[in-house]
Amino acid sequence: MNNRKKIPLRKCIGTGEMKPKKEMIRIVRSKEGEVSIDPTGKKSGRGAYLSLSEEAINAAKKKNSLSNHLDADVPASIYDELLEMAAKEKK
């Protein structure tokens, strides 16, 4: 029997790449319309996945794909926080 666990893949909305879920960060829009970063991946609400790389974050910001995917306005502070997380991840 095949005992290997299936690795869940998600599509990055910045680059369009399929990557393992654990390598990505989830951004969530709650029912109230509040957008937040979900490092655990367990918050309830509409979610979008983004690679933790400067290129992916900047691409998502340029294309406005986070706002389009979540059907909500994404504040610039979210992008700033994501860029900080990407810089920490890089080290």
Side-chain angles (χ1 to χ4, degrees), residues 47-81:
Y49 287 87
L50 195 58
S51 298
L52 265 179
S53 70
E54 284 185 39
E55 301 85 37
I57 296 164
N58 289 328
K61 188 175 185 178
K62 186 178 176 184
K63 293 186 234 172
N64 209 20
S65 52
L66 258 182
S67 296
N68 294 337
H69 193 80
L70 297 175
D71 294 327
D73 290 329
V74 178
S77 61
I78 295 285
Y79 290 108
D80 296 337
E81 199 174 330

Side-chain angles (χ1 to χ4, degrees), residues 12-27:
C12 172
I13 61 165
T15 61
E17 293 178 293
M18 293 294 283
K19 289 188 175 183
K21 186 177 172 182
K22 288 188 176 189
E23 292 179 16
M24 304 182 90
I25 191 79
R26 185 170 183 248
I27 296 88

